[in-house]
Amino acid sequence: MPDLFFSNEKEGHFHNIIMPNVYIRIFPYGSVLYSIRITLTLSCPMNLKLYPLDKQVCSLRMASYGWTTDDLVFLWKEGDPVQVVKNLHLPRFTLEKYRTDYCNSKTNTGEYSCLKVDLLFKREFSYYLIQIYIPCCMLVIVSWVSFWLDQSAVPARVSLGVTTLLTMATQTSGINASLPPVSYTKAIDVWTGVCLTFVFGALLEFALVNYASRSDTHREKLKKETRTTNIEDGNAFQMKPLMNRSGHVEMIRHCEVHMQQKSGCVCFRSWISKFPTRSKRIDVVSRIVFPLVFALFNVSYWSTYLFRDEQEDQ
């Protein structure tokens, strides 16, 4: 009987119901068939840098424990040495292919024969698309709703921003709780980190809008006082610098037509000038910038990780 053992085994057991599941066949031409049914749990170190767009290779290693290659040599049977059940179904992986090889090892006591089967598993992405990627996208889009609310609706915008931020943080912690802690960044970490940044940016955008709104109100008050002073002095239509309360010089702009004749951002300036206040302009620009940057991130993210996945296959 060969002293076969599984070098990467963590635990295993025989099947003894109703009788021990083992048999031996001795053929007239000298061959002996020994068959036994066992269940094994094997160790499989994984590289999770591309998780959940990754593929993993798990090995089944069978080696001789005490007999060296001088006495015992394992050889793969010609043809099809490994059979896999056709209706094999795994909840989160798909077995793409397998390959047989030799893994002889040399130690101080000699060289030992070893066989191995490499199983290539591809992670099922549909589960993560439904449970992680789409909900994160929805949370980011919901955070953009605050850009369309009125700047005076402070409770609505604050509650929307804080709620989406906390939900996104909970989603991220739940994802990391189901994975082993590793020292490198995973693909899912990049996705959740950027989504969390967008949600946090939407909350900061409201803080900026609120500050700009108060600043606009203060400026309008100063302009009204300045106009009243100019009318009383009879200098409402003269071109001269005016001093405001803070000591800064403001020049009355009377020649906007010449500015519009310059090339470059003429269309953008003419469009943004339709909105009188800075707070409203920040909201309008955010409605365009946030979705555009998020779309560019999606293009770069999927092209990078999917292309890297294809390169590793080659």
Side-chain angles (χ1 to χ4, degrees):
M1 295 289 293
D3 55 347
L4 177 72
F5 81 104
F6 298 89
S7 58
N8 58 337
E9 173 197 356
K10 296 180 67 177
E11 61 180 17
H13 65 273
F14 297 101
H15 292 263
N16 297 314
I17 299 177
I18 299 177
M19 296 290 291
N21 299 161
V22 58
Y23 69 84
I24 297 177
R25 297 290 185 267
I26 301 176
F27 296 93
Y29 48 83
S31 295
V32 177
L33 174 61
Y34 176 73
S35 177
I36 187 170
R37 184 184 176 207
I38 58 176
T39 296
L40 298 173
T41 300
L42 306 173
S43 64
C44 179
M46 293 186 177
N47 187 350
L48 300 175
K49 288 184 178 180
L50 298 180
Y51 176 88
L53 300 167
D54 57 334
K55 293 183 180 181
Q56 303 295 338
V57 178
C58 293
S59 299
L60 173 63
R61 296 173 178 266
M62 300 164 285
S64 172
Y65 187 78
W67 300 99
T68 63
T69 53
D70 296 334
D71 303 312
L72 178 64
V73 176
F74 290 130
L75 297 175
W76 284 113
K77 182 181 178 181
E78 295 182 0
D80 189 11
V82 178
Q83 290 84 39
V84 179
V85 180
K86 293 183 179 180
N87 59 350
L88 178 66
H89 178 72
L90 300 175
R92 295 192 181 182
F93 288 94
T94 300
L95 179 60
E96 288 196 333
K97 60 181 179 179
Y98 60 88
R99 56 179 177 266
T100 58
D101 200 358
Y102 295 92
C103 54
N104 293 1
S105 60
K106 291 183 179 182
T107 64
N108 294 333
T109 57
E111 181 179 359
Y112 297 89
S113 182
C114 175
L115 302 176
K116 74 172 181 176
V117 183
D118 291 332
L119 305 172
L120 178 60
F121 293 101
K122 181 180 180 181
R123 199 180 299 272
E124 288 287 352
F125 180 68
S126 57
Y127 168 82
Y128 302 95
L129 180 65
I130 296 173
Q131 296 294 328
I132 297 177
Y133 284 90
I134 292 179
C136 289
C137 277
M138 294 174 65
L139 286 174
V140 173
I141 294 173
V142 167
S143 68
W144 299 341
V145 175
S146 64
F147 304 153
W148 299 87
L149 297 178
D150 188 77
Q151 57 194 15
S152 60
V154 177
R157 298 187 69 163
V158 170
S159 60
L160 181 63
V162 172
T163 302
T164 52
L165 183 62
L166 292 177
T167 306
M168 192 67 220
T170 304
Q171 181 87 349
T172 303
S173 62
I175 295 169
N176 293 328
S178 61
L179 294 173
V182 293
S183 59
Y184 48 82
T185 302
K186 304 179 291 293
I188 194 67
D189 294 335
V190 176
W191 176 264
T192 54
V194 172
C195 290
L196 187 63
T197 302
F198 271 95
V199 174
F200 183 67
L203 186 60
L204 291 182
E205 188 270 349
F206 169 67
L208 182 61
V209 167
N210 187 265
Y211 172 78
S213 177
R214 289 185 281 109
S215 178
D216 291 335
T217 303
H218 183 67
R219 282 192 174 190
E220 288 295 329
K221 185 177 179 181
L222 290 179
K223 284 183 180 180
K224 289 181 180 179
E225 293 178 357
T226 304
R227 289 173 184 173
T228 303
T229 305
N230 289 341
I231 292 174
E232 290 177 356
D233 296 341
N235 299 325
F237 300 97
Q238 292 182 5
M239 295 297 302
K240 70 175 186 177
L242 299 175
M243 190 73 69
N244 59 13
R245 287 186 175 183
S246 59
H248 296 289
V249 178
E250 291 185 353
M251 297 298 295
I252 300 176
R253 294 176 296 177
H254 68 290
C255 234
E256 192 112 5
V257 179
H258 295 288
M259 296 293 296
Q260 293 180 359
Q261 291 177 354
K262 294 183 178 180
S263 59
C265 301
V266 177
C267 296
F268 177 76
R269 288 182 179 178
S270 61
W271 173 72
I272 203 69
S273 63
K274 297 179 182 179
F275 306 99
T277 60
R278 289 191 304 170
S279 57
K280 187 64 177 178
R281 293 175 183 177
I282 294 173
D283 270 341
V284 172
V285 172
S286 298
R287 295 172 190 174
I288 299 173
V289 172
F290 273 74
L292 182 61
V293 175
F294 190 67
L296 292 176
F297 163 71
N298 271 271
V299 172
S300 60
Y301 178 86
W302 296 112
S303 60
T304 299
Y305 283 101
L306 292 178
F307 181 70
R308 184 182 299 178
D309 194 10
E310 292 176 358
Q311 276 188 337
E312 290 190 354
D313 291 345
Q314 296 175 358

